[in-house]
Amino acid sequence: MKLVYFSASTIPSHAANSVHVMKMCQAFADNGHDVELLAPERGGVSESGAAVFSAYAVRQSFRLSRIRRSNRRWGSLSYAYNAARYAQRARPDMVYGRDIRACWLAALRGLSVILEVHDLNYIRRSLIDRFVFRALQHAKAFRYLVVISHALARDVVAMYPGLKGRVRVAHDGADPVANETSAAEPGLGRAALRVGYVGNIYPGRGVELLSAIARRLPWVELHIVGEWAYGVAGDPGTRSLPANVHVHGFLPYADAERVRMTCDVLLAPYQRQVYTRGGSNTARWMSPLKIFEYMAAGKAIVCSDIEVLHEVLEDRKTTLFCPPDDVDAWCAALTQLHEDEELRLRLGHAARATFSRLHTWRSRAALVLEDPVQAPCT
């Protein structure tokens, strides 16, 4: 089908939501759809060429078009209006989007619409968004809502009972790793176990826990890849990190993948409150990209024991779960993986097998567009 995708993300940027958008558009195109991505032109970001696609390790298999978005107070509404108008002229078979206002305005123009949301805070962030979300539900052209976890589906339906039977769960995903045999890069020379954290560092992502682990286990060589949000404890600028921690900063997608592939173990030390770039606490509903990227890498994973993550990972089979705030438990898990190579390999192989079966971007793209008769909604 001909598909127009509405994005509210700045592309390119360091935000995970922009990765999600680009990877999903590639996956839709890989599944045979004619895809055009509409993204904001703002802050001097207007390029749409090969360099943008390369930054995300995405093939140029879909079109990226820019819609002007002002930085003024009503800029998001003007962007939504212009995106909906553009889509109407494009005459797509389906509009798919993560911009609630643009999706509503497209539905008012009679375009079939599927909206995807990743947390309830996005739906209720302002009076206008609450109004728009309620109005969208009653639009004839609105088909259904896509969410990233069963926990979020339950909460959405509890808040908006009219959506019962119109919410589809699709956990996030990742691409298969292109080169699974990447040679190890030179490390710090003191470590017996190479451990990685790959993902932006915002409050609640567990960087304090990482620092404590590195201090306790000097034989761990810890590699941290990602943009470090200002003010998060342990910022490299404070010079407070142990000597066995190597901070790479933000890396292009392909380079971050290479670091993942050189690690023995990958860590997801989420805390009980987990914040996004925009400041939303998503610990109750999250489906983190890093989890699926870790699974695709085929490495042993140690992950915080957060309820929603049990929807994807299974303790002792595809991960070792540890309490988010128990440094002793994390150190014990890493010590066990250090001493038991067979366990490391078994966890990694099982995680990759589960990923390949259920969580590629391509399979996710097929699921979210699948006929409701074949893939019923919640």
Side-chain angles (χ1 to χ4, degrees), residues 336-355:
Q336 183 179 14
L337 292 171
H338 175 212
E339 296 172 352
D340 191 342
E341 182 181 11
E342 182 180 348
L343 175 61
R344 287 204 313 268
L345 295 175
R346 178 168 57 80
L347 289 171
H349 291 160
R352 180 185 288 150
T354 300
F355 159 78

Side-chain angles (χ1 to χ4, degrees), residues 54 93 150 173 186 217 219 235 245 291 299 301 337 373:
S54 177
D93 300 299
H150 292 285
L217 305 178
W219 43 264
D235 185 315
V245 177
I291 294 297
K299 306 295 182 176
I301 301 168
L337 292 171
V373 175

Side-chain angles (χ1 to χ4, degrees), residues 183-371:
E185 298 174 352
L188 301 180
R190 297 183 292 276
L193 190 72
R194 192 177 175 100
V195 176
Y197 171 96
V198 182
N200 290 331
I201 301 161
Y202 306 133
R205 303 300 174 102
V207 69
E208 299 90 349
L209 179 61
L210 294 177
S211 180
I213 291 169
R215 292 181 190 282
R216 294 266 194 103
L217 305 178
W219 43 264
V220 160
E221 181 183 299
L222 176 59
H223 289 260
I224 299 177
V225 176
E227 182 178 68
W228 210 300
Y230 177 79
V232 175
D235 185 315
T238 68
R239 303 176 185 268
S240 63
L241 296 174
N244 55 333
V245 177
H246 188 54
V247 179
H248 297 261
F250 178 84
L251 294 177
Y253 195 87
D255 294 335
E257 183 175 274
R258 280 191 282 274
V259 175
R260 275 196 299 273
M261 294 307 297
T262 64
C263 291
D264 304 302
V265 179
L266 295 168
L267 305 182
Y270 295 103
Q271 298 303 287
R272 299 191 191 281
Q273 295 187 33
V274 180
Y275 292 92
T276 65
R277 186 186 187 96
S280 291
N281 176 17
T282 61
R284 182 177 174 86
W285 314 299
M286 63 183 177
S287 183
L289 293 186
K290 77 160 55 62
I291 294 297
F292 304 97
E293 292 166 349
Y294 286 3
M295 295 171 78
K299 306 295 182 176
I301 301 168
V302 184
C303 182
S304 290
D305 192 356
I306 304 294
E307 183 178 357
V308 69
L309 298 180
H310 285 259
E311 294 185 15
V312 174
L313 296 170
E314 192 171 356
D315 194 29
R316 310 296 302 183
K317 293 189 177 180
T318 56
T319 192
L320 297 182
F321 275 125
C322 292
D325 49 2
D326 189 339
V327 179
D328 291 339
W330 284 79
C331 290
L334 284 171
T335 300
Q336 183 179 14
L337 292 171
H338 175 212
E339 296 172 352
D340 191 342
E341 182 181 11
E342 182 180 348
L343 175 61
R344 287 204 313 268
L345 295 175
R346 178 168 57 80
L347 289 171
H349 291 160
R352 180 185 288 150
T354 300
F355 159 78
S356 298
R357 190 173 72 254
L358 299 174
H359 298 302
T360 65
W361 285 122
R362 189 166 181 174
S363 63
R364 186 182 194 272
L367 172 63
V368 298
L369 294 183
E370 198 167 317
D371 189 292

Side-chain angles (χ1 to χ4, degrees), residues 43-66:
V45 176
S46 60
E47 67 267 29
S48 301
V52 177
F53 291 81
S54 177
Y56 292 94
V58 165
R59 294 181 303 282
Q60 205 164 352
S61 55
F62 57 92
R63 299 180 302 285
L64 170 57
S65 299
R66 300 289 182 176

